[in-house]
Amino acid sequence: LQTRMQSLQPDPKAQYRSVYEALKKIVLTEGFWRPLRGINVTMLGAGPAHALYFACYEKMKKSLSDTLQPGGNSHLANGIAGSVATLLHDAVMNPAEVVKQRMQMFNSPYKSVLGCVRTVQKTEGFGAFYRSYTTQLTMNIPFQAIHFITYEFMQEQINPQREYNPSSHIISGAVAGAVAAAATTPLDVCKTLLNTQENMALSSLNIKGHLSGMVNAIKTVYQLGGIWGYFRGVQARVIYQMPSTAIAWSVYEFFKYFLTKHQLEKRT
């Protein structure tokens, strides 16, 4: 839904006024499973990407916190650790995101993940899978910095003892996801344009070839939609991110608690 709603010059059959209308229209006209198209490639990349992400975050957070604020919780350390972890995460997820978004576009010519990968590789080259990587990092570094700082801040407020508390992890994760998602929506719109290379939008501005680069994307979005163009899909993005970050943090905190407890029991 987010990919469709961020389309800058959508097909008349793919114009939506709200998340509910978009979901209803897609299911009725394109089938019940259409909104989930491309989810398999996301799931394939999510495992290794998140493993690198949380492992790097924990290691860097501890090292930097000990240096910047010994014995305490440093928000600067949390932000830096989250930013560095993003570099590893996005190196894995960027190609998966490109494939997913191309398969989700209205009237997408791609029938399968493998077919999409082969076609993009053949027609646009390997670089197409990383065309939005710098934009992704430009967006995700502030997103993750805001995300981690907000999560740790929320934990200080509702779980100051930092014990395993599922409800506090879910609430903190949801709030952190919502705040970070809303703040970085303009950059996400630019990333979607770079990933999908909307023919209708680019041809209307006489842009030939492939759009590349953050600066070009920012200019193109403004030319097509003005200031409000940067906030297309903000509602869908926040709705998507809240459960996503809530689930990610609750699962992560559970395994962290479980493994730590198991190690302590083995030692004793």
Side-chain angles (χ1 to χ4, degrees):
L1 297 182
Q2 180 184 325
T3 301
R4 293 282 189 95
M5 294 186 76
Q6 285 181 343
S7 177
L8 293 163
Q9 286 200 349
D11 187 285
K13 295 177 181 178
Q15 293 180 348
Y16 317 108
R17 288 172 294 183
S18 68
V19 174
Y20 174 74
E21 182 194 346
L23 182 61
K24 182 180 176 182
K25 197 170 182 179
I26 291 170
V27 169
L28 289 175
T29 59
E30 301 175 54
F32 181 78
W33 298 108
R34 191 63 177 88
L36 296 177
R37 196 169 185 200
I39 195 172
N40 51 346
V41 71
T42 303
M43 291 173 67
L44 190 65
H50 277 77
L52 288 168
Y53 175 68
F54 280 115
C56 177
Y57 173 69
E58 279 294 336
K59 182 65 177 174
M60 283 208 67
K61 181 180 78 166
K62 189 176 185 307
S63 300
L64 288 172
S65 289
D66 289 344
T67 303
L68 298 172
Q69 196 172 328
N73 176 39
S74 169
H75 291 305
L76 179 59
N78 298 334
I80 295 172
S83 299
V84 175
T86 303
L87 293 171
L88 297 175
H89 176 274
D90 287 0
V92 176
M93 285 304 294
N94 203 85
E97 186 79 1
V98 171
V99 174
K100 183 197 77 171
Q101 290 191 325
R102 293 208 179 204
M103 291 184 70
Q104 288 176 340
M105 291 299 288
F106 182 73
N107 275 344
S108 172
Y110 310 108
K111 304 302 179 186
S112 68
V113 170
L114 194 59
C116 180
V117 171
R118 284 174 175 169
T119 304
V120 173
Q121 166 70 26
K122 186 178 179 181
T123 59
E124 300 177 45
F126 181 76
F129 295 107
Y130 283 94
R131 190 178 286 130
S132 67
Y133 185 55
T134 52
T135 305
Q136 181 95 334
L137 290 176
T138 305
M139 178 190 74
N140 277 358
I141 285 175
F143 176 92
Q144 297 301 352
I146 295 169
H147 170 209
F148 282 108
I149 289 170
T150 305
Y151 179 81
E152 298 289 356
F153 173 77
M154 287 296 297
Q155 283 291 283
E156 283 184 344
Q157 306 307 309
I158 63 177
N159 186 19
Q161 302 302 317
R162 299 311 299 262
E163 298 172 342
Y164 174 62
N165 185 327
S167 60
S168 79
H169 302 315
I170 290 171
I171 294 168
S172 298
V175 171
V179 171
T184 56
T185 295
L187 294 168
D188 194 49
V189 172
C190 295
K191 184 201 74 174
T192 298
L193 179 61
L194 287 170
N195 275 349
T196 57
Q197 298 289 316
E198 291 179 65
N199 291 328
M200 194 179 293
L202 299 183
S203 62
S204 69
L205 296 177
N206 294 319
I207 297 175
K208 296 179 181 179
H210 301 299
L211 185 71
S212 63
M214 184 62 179
V215 175
N216 288 333
I218 291 172
K219 288 179 181 177
T220 304
V221 170
Y222 184 77
Q223 287 176 299
L224 291 166
I227 293 295
W228 291 111
Y230 294 112
F231 292 93
R232 292 183 69 90
V234 63
Q235 184 186 13
R237 180 165 161 77
V238 170
I239 291 171
Y240 167 78
Q241 285 294 344
M242 285 182 74
S244 175
T245 48
I247 292 168
W249 276 110
S250 58
V251 171
Y252 171 69
E253 294 283 9
F254 167 75
F255 279 105
K256 183 179 171 182
Y257 165 76
F258 176 78
L259 293 172
T260 304
K261 183 183 176 185
H262 184 64
Q263 284 182 336
L264 288 172
E265 287 175 350
K266 279 179 72 177
R267 288 174 188 171
T268 55

